[in-house]
Amino acid sequence: MGIEVHLRSIFLQGLLFLPPDRVPAPLQSASRRLSRVRRMIAEGRSDPLQAALGFALSRREATSVIVGVTTAAELQAILAAAASPPPISTGTTWRSTIGGARPLQMAAA
């Protein structure tokens, strides 16, 4: 009997894509950290979608990465980001073993 690790909410329930002035009031305490993450993503010449997906797919301990979409365009963007090379940050706090990202596996819910 094996153990599987499934990663979900890798986009922070959309929080990663919101402009700082649209972060919900209960989550304002995370704004500084979120700004720091966005800055590191930009310094790595990436975007939040590619950075979050690339990081999640690079985790060797993860069996699956689960994402949700509401439109076909969102699905296409996620598939394109999954097919592109994962971003590599130069920041010391954002490093990960990104080199061995697995291909995205699709499953219907």
Side-chain angles (χ1 to χ4, degrees), residues 1-106:
M1 182 154 121
I3 295 174
E4 291 188 0
V5 176
H6 301 262
L7 302 182
R8 61 176 288 281
S9 299
I10 64 168
F11 307 127
L12 304 175
Q13 298 294 340
L15 187 62
L16 194 56
F17 304 117
L18 286 179
D21 61 335
R22 298 215 27 230
V23 173
L27 300 174
Q28 284 296 320
S29 62
S31 289
R32 191 170 358 145
R33 288 186 192 140
L34 191 56
S35 292
R36 192 173 1 174
V37 167
R38 287 184 180 130
R39 186 174 56 252
M40 289 188 309
I41 290 170
E43 287 170 359
R45 299 183 191 269
S46 187
D47 61 68
L49 174 70
Q50 186 180 24
L53 192 58
F55 179 79
L57 289 172
S58 75
R59 306 311 307 163
R60 295 185 190 277
E61 61 273 15
T63 307
S64 301
V65 175
I66 301 168
V67 298
V69 299
T70 56
T71 66
E74 287 177 357
L75 177 59
Q76 290 174 341
I78 289 170
L79 291 173
S84 65
I88 298 175
S89 172
T90 57
T92 57
T93 58
W94 188 251
R95 290 193 187 271
S96 171
T97 312
I98 292 184
R102 296 178 309 283
L104 183 65
Q105 297 178 4
M106 299 300 294

